[in-house]
Amino acid sequence: MHGDVYAPNIEAVIKCIKCSSEFNLMDKRIVCSCGGLLQVEFKKIPELTWSVLRGRAFKLWRYRELIPVPSEAQIISLGEGGTPLIKSVRLKDLVHVKEVYIKFEGANPTGSFKDRGMTVAVSMAKYLGARVVVCASTGNTAASMSAYAARAGMKSIVILPKGKVAKGKLVQAVLHGAILAFIDGSFDDALRAVTQVAERYPVYVLNSLNPWRIEGQKTLAFEVADEVGVPDWIVVPVGNGGNISAIWKGFKELKEAGLTSKLPKLAGVQASGAAPLARAFRKGLNVPEFVNNPETIATAIRIGRPVNWPRALKAIRESGGVLMDVTDEEILKAQEALARFEGLGVEPASATSLAGLIKLKEEELVDRDESVVLVATGHALKDPDVIKYHSADIHYLSSEGVLALVREVVGT
Ligand code: F0G
């Protein structure tokens, strides 16, 4: 499928962000033996021009040279990336900023940004000879991993917090043939179980701890810069903090490659009931105080111990940005506003970006003449149960009743 894409000769390593140990790209570990997070790093950033990149399809693998998967690896792809960047027409007047774009990640093959990370990490898993992949998930990672694993011919096991995963995501994992293990407890407990499993058995872990997930997810930054340049702000929902770290890495690499000249400010948004990073940021802490019983309607980001916190905090501080939290009520209002002012259906976690922007504007952190990209991480269809929280104009009528209703609506 990507035979037309130049196969790069890459100089890159996997490096621990804590102890700086370096490993070969073929190394299977996903965390360092010191416990630190691993990151793929270029020894030398590839030389590229926009015109070369733009000669290829607007999809994730357009940026092949900046994704250092070895050139012999078979790419497991479902055509992810190249998602719409939609210029807001009505919301912009509501929040009073120069330009607001919404990066609609719900348009990815399984309906969330996770597909960006999975095409890369599952390709690596396959290349490294993995037969069984595993993840803890609030739902989207499970849906995406099981789809890509199916395509790669691997078995997938997903560990999920019982009763807390949105229906659409469960349907997907079941349909793609994953083995579903529900545990009593939160996502954080599920991730602990994954760590224990990985210590004992030959499984490949595909949570966002995995540095290859980050490599895929950073392409969102490439696409935004490719289409409209670097915005002043990029607002990102935060759970584990993997995606916001990835997006920052993407913008930094573009600048390093000389493809852009500026960096955006990052605004990370958590749900108030699951906001250890926002709280740490507010208090100026270097290490977050974890939340034991996270609770929010935005189940995708119902996370109390975000594993990527060191890179997320670092990214946000480096960018001169902010971390904040929004209430469930604000999330639902933002979800409705995106749907009813712009025609964009997003799941609750994804609406935190608009709710966050509204707050940023109220607190005058974002200026009237700044441009903003809101990352809408997942599709509304993922979580049909939230319908009960929204106003609905529904009628059960006879045919005469229908005539009367329409007469009233059209106003004659
Ligand atoms: N938005 C959605 C729709 C998500 O599913 C997630 C994470 C996030 C935002 C937060 O991203 O964790 O990289 O900061 N979902 C994971 C999952 C935890 O299991 O699907 P993050």
Side-chain angles (χ1 to χ4, degrees), residues 111-114 135-143 159-160 169 187 207-208 213-214 217 236-245 269-270 277 299-303 306 308 312 347-350 352 375-379 382:
S112 85
F113 71 97
K114 305 285 180 182
C135 72
S137 182
T138 55
N140 280 323
T141 303
I159 307 183
L160 307 164
K169 306 173 189 181
F187 167 85
N207 280 100
S208 58
R213 286 271 313 275
I214 304 284
Q217 288 172 207
V236 188
V238 171
N240 267 313
N243 204 31
I244 199 162
S245 319
V269 192
Q270 297 201 287
L277 296 182
T299 52
I301 51 171
R302 188 175 165 273
I303 293 170
N308 284 298
E347 68 170 283
S350 311
T352 58
V375 180
T377 46
H379 204 287
K382 293 278 192 174

Side-chain angles (χ1 to χ4, degrees), residues 9-45:
N9 189 8
I10 305 149
E11 291 176 53
V13 291
I14 295 177
K15 189 169 175 179
C16 174
I17 66 167
K18 197 169 162 195
C19 75
S20 300
S21 293
E22 288 187 5
F23 307 98
N24 184 283
L25 289 182
M26 296 288 293
D27 203 291
K28 281 190 190 165
R29 79 190 78 199
I30 61 148
V31 283
C32 186
S33 32
C34 81
L37 297 168
L38 295 176
Q39 175 161 299
V40 176
E41 270 188 27
F42 288 104
K43 286 283 178 195
K44 184 171 161 285
I45 197 98

